[in-house]
């Protein structure tokens, strides 16, 4: 890669990091954020100033030791005590305020990304594109890890690295003049002429650190992609552990422990394989940086020794030169000392930028116009549906459902019934056209979701259970044929695992009976129920929607369900099998 290309990539990276950082300092918390940042900057400047005072103290203290001047020794010990107390106070409050800024920044970014991830069903759209194997820019892996871990790493690393860079710059400016003055001239003869280099040790420090910076980047350049890959593999391993917990019953019934162990062990093997490469790269970098650091400790004494032994300078001056050289060298070595942290920060920033871009694209993907119906019916115009693979499912489809209708949507498995269901709900991103929907419909998915909470919260979800009294909640459970749960409203459990498939479907229907919507859309809502329970519940559903001047649209494979509906829609494949054609069948 050419030098210009590397410079352009680095500039683009800084722009991405700035773009991620700036919103917090322009948010509703901007004044607190800016005040904290300003306080930390002031404390860092004060911290560097105390180092300058300590550097000056070195000369007086070591000169007093060399001259055996006891009164000056005591005076300098008192001065050191005062400086140490100031240093400690600055260090403590610099740490405290830095932690406060990191915490507040992380909290704001977490809330910000959670809201964006959850708004407009972005979380759902990202999963669709991910499992359809679309462009990596549209399918970030493990959003949970990016929100929980990457945001924490980004905020803490950005604050610590930026303040460290500020310290390095201020330290360099503060000590460069001291080192220039103390180092004197270096004279040498060459080809019969005398030459003098003023501020010799300053130039040595600059050349020493410049060479170290170039070599550090050469030795450690592989850390950036390895850190990125390590975060991805760790998150993937954790995600699959969670899936085993979520599907524990199904895995246990299938006796799938051996397969799951093999799969988890394989993914953990990927984690270890990348980690071994990361350790190897860090070992080489540590070997170089440790060598560089140890050499820099004795280097100023070697250079200043001839002047000291000749009597040109005192021991205190030697110590002050060594201190100033080390401060300048430390500031110029900031890149070397923080290369590992910079590599991890860049990997985190790239992951968050990828996630941020994907959220923006997902939130703008939908072209389906979803609006409230003005005539109490459902109207669909010019509806087109695509699959994540890019194939067309429906095109130029028009539908209408009037109050009082009960419609069964049927068709072969995989023909697109559930996709149409999602489009009507307004959550399918690969759709265009117009859907006019009556207000407050309820959609019952194939796999209902229940939070790990009390039964009353699971029943009222996503509303607050406080809206309903116990009698109303218990009546909904009785209506859904769950009388045995009526006395368990305050029991907290993982209801998605505790209840059987049939009980979960009945609990989902209990939500419907609790909220009494006029319009209901059910996707295989009774597939796990026996025919008698299905008959009882469907009659209650149809009675409920008719009393509210509404309608019900059901997806089902059972022929028995057809008897509860007065119309039927069927999805059928066309002869070329490239498109699904929607046809209206006669009423039952």
């Amino acid at each position: 890669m050419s030098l210009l290309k590397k410079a352009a990539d680095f500039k683009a990276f800084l722009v991405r990091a700035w773009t991620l950082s700036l919103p917090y300092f322009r948010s509703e918390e901007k004044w607190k954020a800016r005040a904290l940042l300003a306080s930390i900057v002031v404390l860092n400047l004060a911290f560097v100033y105390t180092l300058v005072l300590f550097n000056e103290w070195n000369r007086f203290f070591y000169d007093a030791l060399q001259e055996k001047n006891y009164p000056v020794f005591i005076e300098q010990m008192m001065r050191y005590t005062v400086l140490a107390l100031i240093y400690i106070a600055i260090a403590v409050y610099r740490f405290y305020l830095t932690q406060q800024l990191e915490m507040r920044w992380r909290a704001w970014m977490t809330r910000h990304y959670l809201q964006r991830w959850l708004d407009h069903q972005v979380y759902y759209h990202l999963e669709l594109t991910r499992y359809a194997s679309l462009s990596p820019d549209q399918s970030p892996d493990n959003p949970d890890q990016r929100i929980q871990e990457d945001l924490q790493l980004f905020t803490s690393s950005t604050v610590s690295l930026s303040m460290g860079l500020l310290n390095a710059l201020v330290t360099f400016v503060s000590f460069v003049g001291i080192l220039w003055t103390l180092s004197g001239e270096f004279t040498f003869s060459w080809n019969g002429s005398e030459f003098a280099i003023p501020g010799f040790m300053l130039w040595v420090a600059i050349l020493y650190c410049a060479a170290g910076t170039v070599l550090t980047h050469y030795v450690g350049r592989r850390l950036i992609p390895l850190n990125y890959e390590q975060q991805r593999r760790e998150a993937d391993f954790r995600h699959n552990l969670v899936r085993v917990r979520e599907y524990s019953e199904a895995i246990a019934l299938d006796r799938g422990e051996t397969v799951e162990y093999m799969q988890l062990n394989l993914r953990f093997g990927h984690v270890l394989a990348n980690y071994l490469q990361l350790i190897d790269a860090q070992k080489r970098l540590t070997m170089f940086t440790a060598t560089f650091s140890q050499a820099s400790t004795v280097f100023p004494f070697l250079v200043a020794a001839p002047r000291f032994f000749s009597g040109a300078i005192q021991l205190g001056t030697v110590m002050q030169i060594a201190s100033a050289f080390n401060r300048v060298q430390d500031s110029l070595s900031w890149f070397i000392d923080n290369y590992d942290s910079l590599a991890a920060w860049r990997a985190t920033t790239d992951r968050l930028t990828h996630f941020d871009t994907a959220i923006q694209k997902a939130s703008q993907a939908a072209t389906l116009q979803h609006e409230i119906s003005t005539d109490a019916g459902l109207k669909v115009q010019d509806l087109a549906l695509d699959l994540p693979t890019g194939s067309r499912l429906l095109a130029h489809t028009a539908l209408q459902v009037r109050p009082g209708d009960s419609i069964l949507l049927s068709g072969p498995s995989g023909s697109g019934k559930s996709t149409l269901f999602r489009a009507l709900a307004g959550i399918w991103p690969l759709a265009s056209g117009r859907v006019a929907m009556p207000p407050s419909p309820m959609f019952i998915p194939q796999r209902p979701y229940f939070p790990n909470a009390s039964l009353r919260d699971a029943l009222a979800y996503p509303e607050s259970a406080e809206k309903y009294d116990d009698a109303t909640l218990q009546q909904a459970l009785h209506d859904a044929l769950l009388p045995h749960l009526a006395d368990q409203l305050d029991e907290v459990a993982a209801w998605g695992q505790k209840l059987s498939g049939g009980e979960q479907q009945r609990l989902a229907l209990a939500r419907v009976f609790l909220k009494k919507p006029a319009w209901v859309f059910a996707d295989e809502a009774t597939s796990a129920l026996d025919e008698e329970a299905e008959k009882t519940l469907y009659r209650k559903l149809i009675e409920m929607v008719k009393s509210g001047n509404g309608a019900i649209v059901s997806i089902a494979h059972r022929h028995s369900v057809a008897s509860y509906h007065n119309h039927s829609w069927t999805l059928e494949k066309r002869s070329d099998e490239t498109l699904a054609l929607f046809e209206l069948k006669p009423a039952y």
Side-chain angles (χ1 to χ4, degrees), residues 131-190:
Y131 288 109
S133 301
L134 297 183
S135 167
D137 292 337
Q138 296 178 303
S139 53
D141 60 278
N142 304 296
D144 52 304
Q145 187 256 0
R146 303 195 186 204
I147 293 174
Q148 182 269 324
E149 183 177 328
D150 286 350
L151 288 179
Q152 186 271 327
L153 291 173
F154 176 77
T155 52
S156 61
S157 296
T158 301
V159 172
S160 62
L161 289 172
S162 58
M163 290 302 104
L165 180 59
L166 174 66
N167 269 356
L169 293 174
V170 175
T171 299
F172 177 78
V173 171
S174 300
F175 283 91
V176 67
I178 297 173
L179 185 59
W180 177 278
T181 302
L182 293 175
S183 58
E185 292 185 345
F186 176 75
T187 57
F188 64 96
S189 300
W190 185 73

XYZ file of all heavy atoms in Angstrom, residues 131-190:
470
model
N -28.966 -12.856 7.609
C -29.150 -14.272 7.297
C -29.398 -14.516 5.817
O -29.372 -15.652 5.356
C -30.285 -14.844 8.139
C -29.886 -14.992 9.577
C -30.426 -14.156 10.552
C -28.937 -15.927 9.954
C -30.033 -14.276 11.872
C -28.541 -16.050 11.278
C -29.096 -15.225 12.227
O -28.694 -15.338 13.537
N -29.653 -13.434 5.067
C -29.771 -13.595 3.618
C -28.415 -13.485 2.929
O -28.324 -13.560 1.718
C -30.723 -12.542 3.057
N -27.358 -13.266 3.741
C -25.989 -13.182 3.210
C -25.848 -12.076 2.172
O -25.236 -12.253 1.120
C -25.565 -14.531 2.594
O -25.616 -15.547 3.538
N -26.397 -10.921 2.503
C -26.235 -9.783 1.605
C -24.898 -9.112 1.878
O -24.039 -9.635 2.552
C -27.390 -8.806 1.804
C -28.779 -9.362 1.447
C -29.825 -8.276 1.618
C -28.815 -9.911 0.042
N -24.742 -7.916 1.346
C -23.488 -7.194 1.500
C -23.134 -7.032 2.969
O -24.007 -6.767 3.793
C -23.622 -5.803 0.850
O -22.561 -4.969 1.232
N -21.863 -7.179 3.339
C -21.464 -6.997 4.730
C -21.840 -5.622 5.274
O -22.050 -5.465 6.466
C -19.937 -7.178 4.684
C -19.692 -8.010 3.481
C -20.742 -7.599 2.482
N -21.908 -4.616 4.399
C -22.284 -3.285 4.858
C -23.715 -3.243 5.360
O -24.110 -2.330 6.066
C -22.121 -2.266 3.716
C -20.655 -2.052 3.349
O -19.809 -2.316 4.217
O -20.380 -1.642 2.214
N -24.541 -4.211 4.961
C -25.937 -4.237 5.374
C -26.204 -5.258 6.467
O -27.316 -5.339 6.974
C -26.824 -4.564 4.162
C -26.785 -3.507 3.070
C -27.641 -3.916 1.894
O -27.442 -4.970 1.307
N -28.584 -3.084 1.548
N -25.224 -6.042 6.816
C -25.484 -7.143 7.743
C -24.415 -7.223 8.831
O -23.600 -8.140 8.837
C -25.524 -8.466 6.973
O -24.342 -8.611 6.191
N -24.396 -6.280 9.755
C -23.415 -6.340 10.835
C -23.715 -7.502 11.772
O -24.870 -7.819 12.045
C -23.602 -4.993 11.551
C -25.016 -4.620 11.274
C -25.298 -5.132 9.890
N -22.668 -8.159 12.242
C -22.877 -9.284 13.139
C -23.020 -8.802 14.574
O -22.451 -7.787 14.970
C -21.681 -10.242 13.040
C -20.382 -9.554 13.417
O -19.796 -8.862 12.553
O -19.958 -9.682 14.578
N -23.802 -9.510 15.341
C -23.913 -9.335 16.787
C -24.129 -7.883 17.237
O -23.257 -7.284 17.874
C -22.664 -9.896 17.477
C -22.414 -11.347 17.118
O -23.206 -12.211 17.431
N -21.321 -11.607 16.413
N -25.280 -7.301 16.922
C -25.557 -5.935 17.389
C -25.493 -5.810 18.904
O -25.133 -4.747 19.428
C -26.986 -5.675 16.871
C -27.175 -6.624 15.749
C -26.378 -7.835 16.093
N -25.847 -6.877 19.616
C -25.801 -6.836 21.084
C -24.393 -6.551 21.584
O -24.193 -5.767 22.520
C -26.311 -8.162 21.666
C -25.598 -9.368 21.060
O -25.597 -9.525 19.826
O -25.024 -10.149 21.832
N -23.401 -7.177 20.932
C -22.016 -6.966 21.337
C -21.560 -5.553 21.016
O -20.830 -4.930 21.778
C -21.114 -7.993 20.644
C -19.675 -7.969 21.131
C -18.737 -7.300 20.137
O -19.166 -6.847 19.087
N -17.475 -7.244 20.467
N -22.010 -5.015 19.918
C -21.603 -3.662 19.530
C -22.175 -2.621 20.482
O -21.510 -1.642 20.823
C -22.040 -3.384 18.094
C -21.466 -4.425 17.134
C -21.546 -4.018 15.701
N -21.100 -5.120 14.839
C -20.624 -4.974 13.631
N -20.515 -3.773 13.118
N -20.263 -6.011 12.908
N -23.414 -2.846 20.917
C -24.036 -1.890 21.840
C -23.471 -2.053 23.248
O -23.191 -1.064 23.934
C -25.565 -2.080 21.837
C -26.142 -1.675 20.467
C -26.221 -1.265 22.939
C -27.618 -1.967 20.302
N -23.302 -3.283 23.687
C -22.871 -3.507 25.065
C -21.360 -3.329 25.255
O -20.920 -2.683 26.188
C -23.286 -4.914 25.504
C -22.936 -5.254 26.955
C -21.573 -5.892 27.119
O -21.128 -6.668 26.282
N -20.893 -5.573 28.204
N -20.566 -3.886 24.368
C -19.117 -3.905 24.568
C -18.395 -2.830 23.760
O -17.551 -2.102 24.296
C -18.576 -5.282 24.194
C -17.081 -5.452 24.423
C -16.602 -6.853 24.103
O -17.386 -7.804 24.302
O -15.463 -7.002 23.637
N -18.720 -2.716 22.472
C -17.979 -1.787 21.615
C -18.178 -0.338 22.041
O -17.241 0.469 21.962
C -18.391 -1.959 20.153
C -17.810 -3.231 19.547
O -16.952 -3.848 20.200
O -18.215 -3.612 18.436
N -19.390 0.017 22.475
C -19.615 1.391 22.923
C -18.783 1.705 24.165
O -18.233 2.801 24.300
C -21.097 1.627 23.210
C -22.017 1.707 21.997
C -23.457 1.906 22.430
C -21.593 2.850 21.067
N -18.688 0.727 25.071
C -17.864 0.931 26.267
C -16.390 1.084 25.897
O -15.697 1.977 26.398
C -18.065 -0.249 27.220
C -17.375 -0.085 28.574
C -15.952 -0.596 28.589
O -15.633 -1.560 27.888
N -15.102 0.031 29.356
N -15.921 0.225 24.993
C -14.519 0.311 24.565
C -14.252 1.611 23.816
O -13.199 2.244 24.006
C -14.181 -0.879 23.670
C -14.130 -2.255 24.347
C -13.961 -3.357 23.305
C -12.994 -2.310 25.359
N -15.198 2.027 22.978
C -14.990 3.242 22.194
C -14.893 4.475 23.083
O -13.987 5.298 22.931
C -16.126 3.419 21.187
C -16.050 4.699 20.402
C -15.152 4.837 19.361
C -16.853 5.778 20.732
C -15.056 6.026 18.655
C -16.769 6.974 20.033
C -15.871 7.091 18.989
N -15.830 4.614 24.026
C -15.828 5.816 24.870
C -14.599 5.852 25.777
O -13.939 6.897 25.889
C -17.106 5.885 25.707
O -17.295 4.641 26.417
C -18.322 6.121 24.826
N -14.286 4.723 26.417
C -13.137 4.718 27.326
C -11.829 4.925 26.563
O -10.960 5.695 26.994
C -13.089 3.414 28.119
O -12.961 2.301 27.262
N -11.702 4.265 25.418
C -10.457 4.403 24.641
C -10.322 5.795 24.044
O -9.217 6.350 24.023
C -10.428 3.354 23.521
O -10.398 2.053 24.040
N -11.415 6.360 23.570
C -11.344 7.699 22.981
C -10.906 8.723 24.008
O -10.054 9.578 23.731
C -12.713 8.097 22.391
O -13.090 7.134 21.402
C -12.641 9.467 21.744
N -11.480 8.648 25.211
C -11.111 9.610 26.261
C -9.660 9.405 26.686
O -8.871 10.365 26.756
C -12.057 9.477 27.471
C -11.557 10.342 28.634
C -13.469 9.897 27.087
N -9.286 8.159 26.971
C -7.928 7.914 27.472
C -6.867 8.227 26.424
O -5.831 8.842 26.736
C -7.797 6.456 27.933
O -8.012 5.567 26.859
N -7.118 7.840 25.170
C -6.122 8.100 24.126
C -6.030 9.572 23.784
O -4.927 10.107 23.584
C -6.466 7.286 22.874
C -6.261 5.774 22.985
C -6.820 5.058 21.769
C -4.773 5.442 23.156
N -7.159 10.263 23.719
C -7.117 11.694 23.389
C -6.452 12.495 24.499
O -5.649 13.406 24.232
C -8.528 12.226 23.116
O -9.372 12.030 24.233
N -6.769 12.156 25.757
C -6.110 12.854 26.868
C -4.628 12.487 26.937
O -3.789 13.326 27.279
C -6.805 12.502 28.182
C -8.205 13.088 28.327
S -8.260 14.912 28.211
C -8.914 15.123 26.554
N -4.311 11.245 26.611
C -2.901 10.866 26.565
C -2.142 11.618 25.491
O -1.001 12.056 25.703
N -2.777 11.786 24.321
C -2.138 12.553 23.258
C -1.982 14.015 23.654
O -0.937 14.635 23.378
C -2.979 12.435 21.977
C -2.456 13.185 20.756
C -1.055 12.702 20.377
C -3.408 13.033 19.578
N -3.012 14.572 24.306
C -2.906 15.953 24.790
C -1.753 16.087 25.776
O -0.952 17.035 25.689
C -4.222 16.367 25.451
C -4.210 17.739 26.143
C -4.038 18.858 25.124
C -5.496 17.943 26.951
N -1.652 15.138 26.717
C -0.544 15.158 27.674
C 0.799 15.104 26.962
O 1.752 15.802 27.340
C -0.656 13.963 28.618
C -1.457 14.289 29.859
O -1.862 15.425 30.049
N -1.705 13.298 30.691
N 0.883 14.241 25.938
C 2.150 14.100 25.214
C 2.529 15.403 24.522
O 3.694 15.832 24.572
C 2.030 12.964 24.198
N 1.568 16.047 23.878
C 1.847 17.304 23.176
C 2.251 18.406 24.146
O 3.229 19.139 23.914
C 0.622 17.731 22.371
C 0.239 16.825 21.190
C -1.083 17.276 20.573
C 1.345 16.831 20.140
N 1.496 18.535 25.244
C 1.797 19.588 26.219
C 3.136 19.309 26.901
O 3.934 20.231 27.151
C 0.661 19.701 27.251
C 1.023 20.703 28.346
C -0.632 20.122 26.573
N 3.400 18.043 27.209
C 4.676 17.673 27.830
C 5.841 18.002 26.899
O 6.876 18.539 27.336
C 4.686 16.169 28.172
O 3.635 15.889 29.092
C 6.017 15.763 28.788
N 5.667 17.694 25.624
C 6.733 18.003 24.662
C 7.009 19.501 24.607
O 8.167 19.944 24.684
C 6.342 17.488 23.275
C 7.342 17.810 22.207
C 8.513 17.080 22.088
C 7.126 18.871 21.326
C 9.455 17.384 21.110
C 8.052 19.179 20.354
C 9.221 18.433 20.236
N 5.946 20.281 24.511
C 6.110 21.744 24.450
C 6.742 22.269 25.738
O 7.590 23.173 25.706
C 4.747 22.415 24.192
C 4.849 23.935 24.334
C 4.226 22.057 22.813
N 6.346 21.692 26.882
C 6.843 22.189 28.173
C 8.312 21.849 28.407
O 9.046 22.637 29.023
C 5.995 21.597 29.311
O 4.639 21.957 29.170
N 8.757 20.687 27.925
C 10.112 20.236 28.244
C 11.108 20.437 27.112
O 12.303 20.284 27.323
C 10.088 18.758 28.640
C 9.592 18.519 30.034
C 8.251 18.295 30.277
C 10.474 18.550 31.111
C 7.788 18.080 31.562
C 10.030 18.334 32.398
C 8.679 18.100 32.631
N 10.619 20.744 25.908
C 11.552 20.882 24.799
C 12.520 22.040 25.027
O 13.724 21.946 24.723
C 10.784 21.042 23.468
C 10.019 22.355 23.410
C 11.719 20.909 22.282
N 12.020 23.141 25.587
C 12.907 24.279 25.870
C 13.906 23.956 26.959
O 15.079 24.360 26.889
N 13.436 23.225 27.997
C 14.331 22.849 29.091
C 15.455 21.962 28.566
O 16.638 22.169 28.868
C 13.534 22.124 30.198
C 12.494 23.070 30.809
C 14.474 21.589 31.270
C 11.563 22.390 31.786
N 15.097 20.967 27.762
C 16.108 20.047 27.238
C 17.063 20.765 26.296
O 18.272 20.506 26.301
C 15.418 18.882 26.516
C 16.340 17.771 26.004
C 17.123 17.150 27.161
C 15.536 16.689 25.277
N 16.538 21.686 25.479
C 17.382 22.451 24.564
C 18.430 23.249 25.342
O 19.603 23.271 24.994
C 16.510 23.379 23.727
C 17.284 24.277 22.803
C 17.889 25.458 23.108
C 17.553 24.045 21.413
N 18.509 26.002 22.008
C 18.323 25.147 20.958
C 17.215 23.030 20.527
C 18.745 25.257 19.631
C 17.647 23.133 19.220
C 18.400 24.237 18.779
N 18.000 23.897 26.418
C 18.900 24.748 27.209
C 19.943 23.916 27.945
O 21.130 24.275 27.990
C 18.086 25.569 28.213
O 17.120 26.360 27.507
C 18.995 26.485 29.027
N 19.511 22.795 28.533
C 20.403 22.007 29.376
C 21.392 21.157 28.593
O 22.494 20.873 29.070
C 19.578 21.093 30.290
C 18.737 21.784 31.368
C 17.886 20.747 32.094
C 19.623 22.522 32.356
N 20.998 20.727 27.393
C 21.845 19.772 26.671
C 23.092 20.411 26.088
O 24.060 19.715 25.759
C 21.040 19.089 25.561
O 20.515 20.041 24.667
N 23.105 21.739 25.926
C 24.295 22.410 25.427
C 24.612 22.052 23.981
O 23.766 21.543 23.249
N 25.851 22.326 23.586
C 26.272 22.050 22.216
C 27.093 20.768 22.149
O 27.835 20.445 23.073
C 27.103 23.197 21.655
C 26.317 24.477 21.436
C 27.178 25.537 20.763
O 28.420 25.364 20.733
O 26.619 26.521 20.262
N 26.936 20.072 21.039
C 27.770 18.908 20.769
C 28.726 19.283 19.638
O 28.304 19.596 18.535
C 26.902 17.707 20.359
C 27.701 16.507 19.977
C 28.323 15.728 20.938
C 27.858 16.157 18.627
C 29.049 14.609 20.569
C 28.591 15.042 18.263
C 29.192 14.261 19.243
N 30.018 19.297 19.945
C 31.012 19.700 18.959
C 31.793 18.479 18.475
O 32.057 17.544 19.238
C 31.996 20.711 19.558
O 32.623 20.145 20.708
C 31.261 21.989 19.973
N 32.133 18.502 17.192
C 32.926 17.413 16.635
C 33.687 17.946 15.412
O 33.316 18.978 14.835
C 32.034 16.227 16.243
C 31.043 16.538 15.140
C 31.334 16.227 13.815
C 29.836 17.163 15.429
C 30.434 16.508 12.805
C 28.924 17.442 14.417
C 29.210 17.116 13.109
N 34.737 17.227 15.077
C 35.569 17.606 13.926
C 35.326 16.626 12.802
O 35.203 15.406 13.021
C 37.061 17.596 14.314
O 37.314 18.514 15.357
N 35.275 17.169 11.592
C 35.117 16.302 10.422
C 35.746 16.970 9.208
O 35.464 18.135 8.896
C 33.632 16.042 10.159
C 33.412 15.057 9.049
C 33.622 13.715 9.090
C 32.945 15.362 7.729
N 33.316 13.133 7.888
C 32.892 14.132 7.021
C 32.585 16.545 7.071
C 32.492 14.057 5.697
C 32.171 16.457 5.768
C 32.125 15.223 5.074
